[in-house]
């Protein structure tokens, strides 16, 4: 599926991928793919012939991917070294992440999993451990999450339940902006000018909003906007 997707995306550039391990490790295809999908201009040569150049190229590419996907280093399931070493698992994780970000409507096959075997050398000999790793999302987990999502459920609720949710949200807002000496008792009217929303964001994110950047008591639509 991923091979066909890459070839379809890069068809006009006459790039054909036959093996994900053998054709992606040097960064050339990844470079073209990212520029085609995200209009990214990567400050790196198209072709890298030496291992040193390939490592530098992959470093620039993967840094751009992490920045686009807003991922911390601890969240990455791939690295320069693993892609360069033609590690299929890392390559699959990377491609799935790119596909989900740049083409979220792409119908990736769900529940794709592999069993990984880790072998460690110990003083008593070799120690092996098995684990199941998901390449694409577990469909059952997705469905369970969607069923439990209170905000999705909100739109299909009866009016009495909607009132209960509004009451809970009011208590939540009051709990935070109450520290500023404010009292919120009506979501529609008190949120319409944006002031309470700005102050709530500031309280939740833990930073000070410069009062010169907005109107604390707006008197016109322009000031509210």
């Amino acid at each position: 599926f991923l091979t066909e997707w890459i070839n379809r995306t890069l068809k006009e550039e006459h790039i054909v991928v036959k093996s994900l391990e053998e054709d992606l490790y040097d960064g050339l295809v990844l470079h073209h793919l990212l520029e085609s999908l995200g209009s990214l201009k990567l400050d790196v040569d198209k072709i890298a012939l030496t291992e040193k150049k390939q490592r530098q190229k992959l470093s620039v590419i993967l840094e751009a991917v992490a920045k686009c996907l807003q991922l911390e280093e601890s969240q990455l399931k791939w690295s320069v070294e693993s892609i360069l070493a033609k590690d299929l698992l890392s390559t699959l994780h990377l491609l799935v992440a790119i596909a989900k970000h740049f083409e979220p409507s792409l119908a990736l096959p769900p529940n794709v999993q592999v069993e990984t075997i880790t072998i460690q050398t110990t003083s008593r000999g070799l120690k092996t451990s098995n684990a199941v790793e998901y390449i694409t999302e577990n469909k059952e987990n997705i469905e369970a999450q969607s069923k439990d999502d209170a905000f999705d459920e909100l739109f299909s609720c009866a009016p009495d339940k909607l009132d209960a949710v509004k009451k809970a949200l009011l208590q939540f807002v009051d709990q935070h902006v109450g520290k500023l000496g404010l009292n919120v008792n009506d979501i529609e009217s008190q949120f319409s000018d944006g002031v309470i929303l700005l102050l709530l964001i500031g309280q939740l994110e833990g930073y000070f909003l410069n009062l010169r950047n907005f109107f604390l008591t707006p008197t016109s639509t322009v000031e509210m906007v």
Side-chain angles (χ1 to χ4, degrees):
F1 184 94
L2 289 169
T3 303
E4 288 176 1
W5 169 64
I6 293 170
N7 289 336
R8 189 169 64 248
T9 305
L10 300 180
K11 186 177 180 180
E12 291 184 5
E13 299 186 48
H14 307 290
I15 290 175
V16 178
V17 170
K18 293 181 179 178
S19 165
L20 296 181
E21 300 101 302
E22 296 296 332
D23 296 340
L24 271 77
Y25 79 94
D26 61 358
L28 176 65
V29 174
L30 287 171
H31 189 167
H32 281 274
L33 185 64
L34 286 170
E35 286 196 338
S36 177
L37 289 170
S39 301
L40 296 174
K41 291 298 175 187
L42 300 170
D43 187 20
V44 64
D45 294 335
K46 288 282 185 186
I47 299 174
L49 296 176
T50 66
E51 186 177 321
K52 183 180 179 181
K53 289 284 186 181
Q54 289 167 355
R55 186 176 276 105
Q56 290 173 344
K57 183 180 177 71
L58 280 171
S59 181
V60 172
I61 290 170
L62 297 186
E63 190 176 329
V65 170
K67 189 175 180 181
C68 273
L69 275 58
Q70 298 182 335
L71 295 173
E72 300 292 334
E73 191 172 343
S74 59
Q75 297 174 290
L76 302 179
K77 295 181 180 180
W78 57 82
S79 66
V80 170
E81 296 304 322
S82 65
I83 300 297
L84 196 59
K86 305 179 184 180
D87 182 86
L88 180 58
L89 195 57
S90 296
T91 304
L92 287 173
H93 277 308
L94 174 62
L95 289 174
V96 168
I98 291 172
K100 282 172 62 180
H101 179 78
F102 290 105
E103 288 198 31
S105 61
L106 201 66
L108 284 165
N111 301 327
V112 179
Q113 61 187 53
V114 294
E115 184 179 4
T116 59
I117 304 171
T118 305
I119 303 173
Q120 292 177 308
T121 305
T122 66
S123 56
R124 296 182 179 180
L126 295 177
K127 179 184 177 183
T128 63
S129 58
N130 295 30
V132 173
E133 190 163 345
Y134 277 93
I135 304 296
T136 59
E137 290 176 306
N138 185 336
K139 195 174 182 180
E140 291 177 2
N141 288 348
I142 297 169
E143 289 173 354
Q145 288 171 6
S146 63
K147 286 177 185 175
D148 296 334
D149 193 321
F151 286 98
D152 281 342
E153 190 182 346
L154 171 63
F155 294 102
S156 58
C157 276
D160 59 325
K161 289 189 177 180
L162 227 139
D163 288 339
V165 173
K166 282 170 66 176
K167 185 178 178 182
L169 287 171
L170 275 173
Q171 290 174 347
F172 167 75
V173 174
D174 246 356
Q175 178 187 346
H176 293 282
V177 298
K179 299 169 187 175
L180 301 173
L182 298 171
N183 181 40
V184 179
N185 49 40
D186 188 281
I187 285 181
E188 286 92 337
S189 63
Q190 288 184 272
F191 270 81
S192 64
D193 61 11
V195 175
I196 295 293
L197 185 60
L198 279 171
L199 296 175
L200 176 64
I201 292 169
Q203 285 294 299
L204 292 173
E205 293 295 323
Y207 58 74
F208 175 72
L209 283 160
N210 193 326
L211 299 181
R212 289 180 296 179
N213 289 348
F214 68 100
F215 295 90
L216 195 58
T217 54
T219 56
S220 68
T221 304
V222 174
E223 291 181 354
M224 291 178 192
V225 172

